[in-house]
Amino acid sequence: MTRGNPCQLPGMLPNYDPNDSEAGMKILEDLTENVEQIQQRVLEEIITRNARTDYLKGFLDGQFDKQVFKKTVPVVNYEDIKPYIERIANGDSSNIISAEPIIELLTSSGTSGGQPKMMPSTAEDLHRKTFFYNLLVPVMNKYVDGLDEGKAMYLLFVKPETKTPSGLMARPVLTSYYKSNNFKNRPFNRFNVYTSPDETILCSDSKQSMYCQLLCGLVQRQEVLRVGAVFASAFLRAIKFLEHNWKELCSNIRTGHVSDWITDPGCRKVVSLVLNKPKPELADLIEHECNSKSWEGIIKKLWPRTKYIEVIVTGSMAQYVSTLEYYSGGLPLVSTMYASSECYFGINFKPLSKPWDVSYTLIPNMAYFEFLPVKKKNEDGAQYVQCNGVCKENCMEKETEKEDVETVELVDVKLGQYYELVVTTFTGLYRYRVGDILMVTGFHNKAPQFRFVHRRNVVLSVDTDKTSEEDLLKAVTKAKVTVESLGILLIEYTSYADTSSIPGHYVLFWEITSKGNNHLPVLDHKIMEQCCSTVEESLDSVYRRCRRKDNSIGPLEIRVVQHGTFDALMDFCVSQGSSVNQYKTPRCIKSGEAINILDSRVVARFFSQKAPFWEPV
């Protein structure tokens, strides 16, 4: 492999031994040094393969030119491509959008019409993801020594899946990877040895899976060099689970016998092998640490050789940083990668950087990347502003309309500028708006580095849920019908994601009054609890799955506030620089000061008493 040609053919992936960190870093240097050439080859390969698909031939008319592609193929949202994906789900040929056979559909945490979006995936794409995962190891080895001298306690889980009418499986991207032969038959990598046997990861019962993985991690505590999960929220749920179950776990370790309620045969077999025999001294040690009045620094106490915690703490997961730091005992929080159901995008080349400094370098052979400029406030009248939930104007980014501007290529983005990511993938997505807003923070060789700013239009998120302002409004509108029939008016509302406890939950602040007067009405607990349930039932499938199946979101709460509370909120926002004339009540609050203003005026609190309905669709 030469420096000017890291991929012998566009779209082909360099082979290397993942145990050879030096070779891995050489590949990364080659990829980031030859960004423009690789991006051109990637696009050429995608067009050449797929020009005769139903989707592309209508735009390209048999031509294979890049400029024709960018001029004729439109930049699209999910709603534009949804009919094609639904046809494949219902039995049509993959050739509608992809020359390569589509082997499954990956369900996104974003939704369309209340249901998860479905993204096409091919067998080759699993190899691309494996290649991507293997490149994470040499980066970590550059900054942390001795990772081959122990194990990783990574808590990994599969999610529910369903079969489409065509027979294709529809499932989350990580579930797809863990169930693939690429994961189950992966070659030995001394840098990636897990405490969790595959059988515990692949167990469909999330409680049994969590228990068994924690049990294995505790038994092997002296071998653990790093701990983590994919998302910060999932790792904190594991800590909370440990708080509730450490006595039983210690009993299992003391007796050498796994609890009878662990009925999954694969889990029982492998965990029994890990337990091996009674370990009373180990049980006493764990019991002593867990019985402490404070769990501050518990990770370092239970797993003393741990060098870092690997979890995604960017985007909506940033709200968990302080809680993670409390439990961590000063361990670094490492976010290694940026990926989605659509595509795997980038790697954090400085993994020990603080969470708020994390940037990702996009890997140019993963897909063809384009960018829609997003202007900040006070630039040509645009309205984008980062405001921590206290609005200066209307707190919504204003993207340059796609009809009015050409996309920017990966090598042409500018330092300090904001962009929305657009991808063309090997799996059948063409000029697709991912919905992520990124800021350019620097360069590694010739490859731009980006900080994830936020998801477009998302106002609430606790776990993998993504609730937009429009979705929230629809849910609140349905709920307020319940109180309006009793002569109660909802004057104003806002929301925030309360992650002070695990799992976190949605909080709605409601200012209400009686029809015909200005008095706070007498509130019926059952009616208000029904309002909470109605909001939850009206939210999308991902929220309802997290609430009912995953138990990763707690019951929704409505906090009723005094009259004049939202006037006080407006006064505060104006004091922070908002315009009185253009002020609109923010539908989501992230500022601690603003939340305190609302909380100080709460007169009643109500919670949903039942989990919303959910089933795989």
Side-chain angles (χ1 to χ4, degrees), residues 21 51 102 127 182 192 208 218 303 395 442 466 470 474 580:
S21 287
I102 291 169
H127 300 314
N182 291 61
N192 265 344
Q208 292 191 55
L218 288 168
W303 295 280
C395 194
K466 296 179 176 69
E470 180 182 8
K474 289 178 181 177
V580 175

Side-chain angles (χ1 to χ4, degrees), residues 352-547:
L352 298 184
S353 56
K354 296 296 184 182
W356 47 87
D357 291 328
V358 169
S359 292
Y360 301 101
T361 304
L362 296 198
I363 306 303
N365 63 338
M366 289 292 105
Y368 179 67
F369 300 112
E370 299 176 81
F371 301 86
L372 286 169
V374 177
K375 295 183 178 180
K376 293 192 297 181
K377 179 175 167 56
N378 295 329
E379 292 181 10
D380 301 325
Q383 299 293 317
Y384 174 69
V385 58
Q386 289 178 274
C387 63
N388 295 320
V390 179
C391 293
K392 300 177 181 180
E393 312 308 338
N394 62 11
C395 194
M396 294 295 290
E397 76 273 9
K398 180 176 181 179
E399 306 130 39
T400 306
E401 293 298 327
K402 60 186 178 184
E403 293 84 7
D404 298 334
V405 68
E406 293 183 359
T407 56
V408 176
E409 295 195 13
L410 181 60
V411 292
D412 294 325
V413 297
K414 304 299 182 185
L415 187 67
Q417 297 299 303
Y418 292 80
Y419 299 93
E420 181 185 350
L421 178 61
V422 176
V423 295
T424 296
T425 70
F426 289 93
T427 58
L429 299 178
Y430 307 102
R431 311 196 79 193
Y432 177 80
R433 297 176 71 173
V434 175
D436 291 352
I437 307 299
L438 311 175
M439 187 185 78
V440 184
T441 58
F443 296 84
H444 182 87
N445 294 328
K446 296 176 183 177
Q449 298 174 308
F450 297 86
R451 179 174 301 137
F452 180 92
V453 179
H454 66 91
R455 286 283 297 174
R456 180 165 50 94
N457 297 330
V458 171
V459 296
L460 282 174
S461 180
V462 166
D463 187 43
T464 55
D465 53 301
K466 296 179 176 69
T467 298
S468 68
E469 182 173 334
E470 180 182 8
D471 292 338
L472 183 62
L473 173 60
K474 289 178 181 177
V476 170
T477 299
K478 289 183 180 179
K480 74 177 183 177
V481 172
T482 302
V483 294
E484 284 178 347
S485 64
L486 301 176
I488 297 173
L489 293 176
L490 174 61
I491 299 173
E492 194 57 275
Y493 75 93
T494 190
S495 65
Y496 87 105
D498 185 349
T499 56
S500 60
S501 60
I502 303 297
H505 69 287
Y506 286 13
V507 174
L508 300 181
F509 291 98
W510 279 20
E511 185 172 333
I512 59 179
T513 188
S514 296
K515 288 183 180 179
N517 61 54
N518 214 19
H519 297 96
L520 186 68
V522 177
L523 299 172
D524 183 295
H525 263 77
K526 289 187 177 180
I527 293 296
M528 293 304 297
E529 288 167 356
Q530 179 59 46
C531 286
C532 295
S533 295
T534 299
V535 172
E536 290 199 300
E537 293 287 356
S538 304
L539 293 173
D540 67 36
S541 174
V542 177
Y543 174 89
R544 289 181 282 113
R545 187 203 73 208
C546 289
R547 226 343 233 120

Side-chain angles (χ1 to χ4, degrees), residues 38-292:
I38 295 170
Q39 279 283 277
Q40 299 312 309
R41 292 183 172 206
V42 164
L43 182 59
E44 289 170 8
E45 177 74 6
I46 292 172
I47 295 174
T48 301
R49 286 187 190 182
N50 299 290
R52 293 181 178 85
T53 59
D54 290 1
Y55 185 85
L56 280 186
K57 69 182 180 183
F59 299 111
L60 298 181
D61 194 25
Q63 300 183 68
F64 296 84
D65 182 71
K66 167 190 167 182
Q67 296 306 321
V68 173
F69 175 84
K70 295 190 70 172
K71 182 177 180 180
T72 62
V73 177
V75 175
V76 296
N77 292 301
Y78 184 73
E79 293 302 321
D80 299 313
I81 63 168
K82 182 179 177 182
Y84 296 90
I85 294 177
E86 288 185 338
R87 284 170 58 189
I88 292 170
N90 287 318
D92 271 4
S93 167
S94 301
N95 286 330
I96 297 171
I97 57 173
S98 171
E100 298 294 318
I102 291 169
I103 61 170
E104 61 185 344
L105 296 168
L106 304 179
T107 54
S108 167
S109 56
T111 60
S112 173
Q115 297 301 327
K117 298 175 182 175
M118 294 187 295
M119 302 298 168
S121 182
T122 64
E124 181 195 49
D125 203 43
L126 286 168
H127 300 314
R128 189 169 288 104
K129 288 166 183 169
T130 301
F131 168 80
F132 184 92
Y133 281 126
N134 286 338
L135 289 179
L136 301 176
V137 176
V139 175
M140 286 308 310
N141 285 339
K142 181 179 178 181
Y143 290 90
V144 182
D145 293 329
L147 292 180
D148 58 339
E149 299 171 0
K151 297 183 179 182
M153 190 188 77
Y154 287 164
L155 304 169
L156 308 174
F157 305 93
V158 295
K159 300 278 188 179
E161 58 189 3
T162 189
K163 186 175 286 188
T164 67
S166 66
L168 295 178
M169 297 304 298
R171 51 194 171 199
V173 60
L174 293 174
T175 298
S176 159
Y177 187 73
Y178 300 149
K179 289 194 169 187
S180 72
N181 289 328
N182 291 61
F183 179 77
K184 292 188 288 187
N185 299 329
R186 60 196 182 277
F188 175 75
N189 180 346
R190 68 179 186 272
F191 295 103
N192 265 344
V193 180
Y194 300 145
T195 59
S196 296
D198 287 0
E199 290 85 349
T200 64
I201 295 171
L202 295 171
C203 176
S204 60
D205 185 311
S206 58
K207 185 178 179 182
Q208 292 191 55
S209 175
M210 178 80 81
Y211 188 91
C212 291
Q213 290 192 62
L214 283 172
L215 183 55
C216 291
L218 288 168
V219 170
Q220 301 171 83
R221 66 185 292 269
Q222 285 294 343
E223 299 178 73
V224 171
L225 299 182
R226 55 206 191 276
V227 300
V230 176
F231 294 107
S233 56
F235 186 73
L236 288 174
R237 284 201 309 280
I239 300 302
K240 186 60 64 175
F241 187 93
L242 181 60
E243 280 191 76
H244 291 153
N245 295 279
W246 63 264
K247 291 182 181 179
E248 185 178 356
L249 288 160
C250 285
S251 175
N252 286 183
I253 294 169
R254 181 172 284 109
T255 63
H257 175 77
V258 65
S259 295
D260 291 340
W261 66 270
I262 301 298
T263 56
D264 182 275
C267 284
R268 285 200 70 85
K269 180 179 179 180
V270 295
V271 174
S272 295
L273 291 173
V274 173
L275 277 174
N276 189 22
K277 63 182 180 180
K279 297 178 173 63
E281 291 183 0
L282 175 59
D284 289 344
L285 187 153
I286 295 169
E287 186 175 53
H288 172 73
E289 297 295 354
C290 292
N291 215 14
S292 173

Side-chain angles (χ1 to χ4, degrees), residues 390-393 567-580 583 591 593-594 597:
V390 179
C391 293
K392 300 177 181 180
E393 312 308 338
D567 292 335
L569 178 63
M570 182 182 71
D571 291 341
F572 172 72
C573 291
V574 170
S575 74
Q576 300 298 300
S578 294
S579 163
V580 175
Y583 174 80
S591 160
E593 292 176 274
I597 289 170

